[in-house]
Amino acid sequence: MPGTPPTRFVYLGPEGTFAEQALRTVPAAERGDRTPARSVGEALDAVRAGEADSALVPLENSIGGAVGVTLDELAEGEPLVITREVILPVEFVLAARFGVTLAEVHSVAAHPQASTQCRGWLRDHLPDATVVDVLSNGAAAAGAASGEYDAAICAPIGATRHRLTVLADKIADHPDAVTRFALVSRPGPPPPPTGDDVTSLAVYIAHDRVGALLSVLMELATRGVNLTRIESRPTGEALGRYVFFLDCTGHVADVRLGEALQGLRRVCADVRFLGSYPRHRWSPAAGDRPVPAPAGLSDTDYADAAAWLARLRAGELN
């Protein structure tokens, strides 16, 4: 029913991972039903099939880069749209059963990405421990809880869920690392503009046209639309064929972004709208502020120019 808040949420599982921790920052999800999925594709297909209202999936990591499987899923199949982004600090902990000390840790369960991001800490504090690869941070915590491993590198929520004792926190080599998640739903009216929004697109360029990518960038630049991210992925059609994923500041309801979208529609082979949604304000740093429209390119400027043109067409020269 239009306007009904979502109550059924699915996320990339298993339980006790950063994805669940990120989803629980969404008020409606904290109150609603949360179900883990085995893969990004399974989570998104549950939304497409109407089995869930929204899915939370990882989009990119500040260390590992874009999550290719999520981008591929958004570019293909039945369309879905992003309605919210969540940026979560990646704070790994070393956790073990009650009574286990750091000196007694000889085996550590960890997802390969987690152990890679904690390599320096492991070298300095557990140089003789064996690190065992597992499928997820949640599986690492479960393995430590069952006694299969002495300890686990996991998310704080994993330690809490499995009643583990945190032997060391903030053990990642990059303390400022974050993961960006997308809350994805079936197509519908986007959230209203807030003045600090992101619009995501999947753009297919005309490969037989010289300067096709430059034309895409010019449609944005000439209207003062700030491009905050660009990522290419192969389409699978043929070698050298790519789809470009763009994140732009602004909302589809903004005049300048609306004109840019019309321009992209004219010059691109195809454009898939992936959503306009509020930007996640996650850092108090000075750089975490909206980028203002350049002089002459605000919605007020566009409205004034449109009114001026209307007067000219009506024969009014004042």
Side-chain angles (χ1 to χ4, degrees):
M1 183 178 182
T4 302
T7 59
R8 301 171 301 159
F9 295 85
V10 63
Y11 62 93
L12 177 62
E15 296 178 339
T17 60
F18 286 111
E20 183 187 8
Q21 189 171 328
L23 181 60
R24 297 190 72 157
T25 67
V26 179
E30 180 66 11
R31 297 188 299 268
D33 296 325
R34 301 177 300 275
T35 304
R38 291 172 294 182
S39 66
V40 169
E42 182 178 286
L44 297 182
D45 282 344
V47 177
R48 290 183 173 114
E51 298 166 0
D53 300 317
S54 297
L56 189 96
V57 291
L59 202 57
E60 61 177 321
N61 178 269
S62 60
I63 303 299
V67 180
V69 64
T70 301
L71 297 182
D72 292 343
E73 284 283 346
L74 292 176
E76 301 169 1
E78 188 178 341
L80 296 168
V81 292
I82 301 170
T83 58
R84 184 180 184 136
E85 67 174 0
V86 177
I87 296 178
L88 187 75
V90 180
E91 296 180 350
F92 289 108
V93 302
L94 184 78
R97 297 181 311 284
F98 178 77
V100 175
T101 66
L102 191 62
E104 295 172 324
V105 174
H106 303 291
S107 61
V108 179
H111 186 276
Q113 289 185 2
S115 58
T116 297
Q117 294 188 45
C118 301
R119 183 184 293 123
W121 190 94
L122 289 169
R123 181 188 61 236
D124 294 341
H125 297 85
L126 292 173
D128 299 322
T130 300
V131 179
V132 182
D133 290 346
V134 294
L135 293 177
S136 68
N137 297 314
S146 69
E148 186 176 359
Y149 310 103
D150 296 330
I153 294 175
C154 60
I157 191 175
T160 301
R161 181 176 293 279
H162 293 280
R163 300 181 180 179
L164 299 175
T165 299
V166 174
L167 301 180
D169 63 357
K170 301 183 186 301
I171 65 173
D173 298 336
H174 299 275
D176 297 325
V178 297
T179 296
R180 180 184 177 213
F181 295 87
L183 190 66
V184 180
S185 303
R186 291 182 294 280
T194 66
D196 189 11
D197 301 290
V198 178
T199 292
S200 296
L201 308 167
V203 172
Y204 298 80
I205 65 173
H207 296 278
D208 57 350
R209 178 178 170 184
V210 175
L213 181 56
L214 178 60
S215 297
V216 169
L217 301 179
M218 289 300 295
E219 291 293 338
L220 303 174
T222 56
R223 295 173 176 86
V225 175
N226 187 39
L227 181 64
T228 59
R229 177 175 166 272
I230 181 169
E231 181 85 20
S232 64
R233 294 284 298 168
T235 63
E237 298 171 353
L239 190 65
R241 298 294 179 92
Y242 293 90
V243 53
F244 292 86
F245 293 89
L246 311 181
D247 284 344
C248 311
T249 57
H251 192 280
V252 66
D254 298 342
V255 177
R256 61 176 173 147
L257 185 57
E259 286 202 1
L261 292 177
Q262 292 181 68
L264 293 178
R265 175 72 175 177
R266 291 194 303 268
V267 303
C268 295
D270 194 16
V271 179
R272 175 171 281 199
F273 176 73
L274 299 179
S276 287
Y277 47 92
R279 185 170 70 96
H280 185 113
R281 300 294 298 278
W282 63 278
S283 169
D288 189 30
R289 292 196 298 260
V291 176
L297 292 174
S298 69
D299 271 12
T300 300
D301 295 324
Y302 270 97
D304 180 69
W308 174 75
L309 179 59
R311 291 196 300 271
L312 294 184
R313 287 173 171 170
E316 302 171 12
L317 302 184
N318 294 328

